[in-house]
């Protein structure tokens, strides 16, 4: 029984790891995009974005 529990625990940890990868990627991409947009706006003389 203990080996079965260990296998289930390991597979759950792997699933959690796989599920967290896209979340971390999404947050990282959002942070990078935000920093790039902010840098572009500052370089253009702090003009408001076209969409606003």
């Amino acid at each position: 029984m203990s080996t079965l529990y260990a296998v289930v625990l390991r597979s759950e940890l792997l699933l959690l790891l796989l599920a967290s990868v896209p979340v971390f990627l999404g947050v990282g991409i959002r942070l990078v995009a935000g920093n790039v947009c902010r840098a572009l706006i500052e370089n253009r003389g702090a003009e408001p974005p076209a969409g606003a």
Side-chain angles (χ1 to χ4, degrees):
M1 285 295 285
S2 58
T3 54
L4 180 66
Y5 182 72
V7 168
V8 168
L9 194 67
R10 198 170 298 141
S11 64
E12 283 185 2
L13 284 174
L14 277 174
L15 279 173
L16 274 173
L17 195 69
L18 284 173
S20 65
V21 165
V23 173
F24 284 131
L25 278 177
V27 168
I29 289 170
R30 202 170 300 140
L31 282 174
V32 169
N35 286 338
V36 168
C37 285
R38 198 175 301 131
L40 285 175
I41 290 171
E42 287 176 0
N43 286 341
R44 279 173 35 198
E47 296 174 12

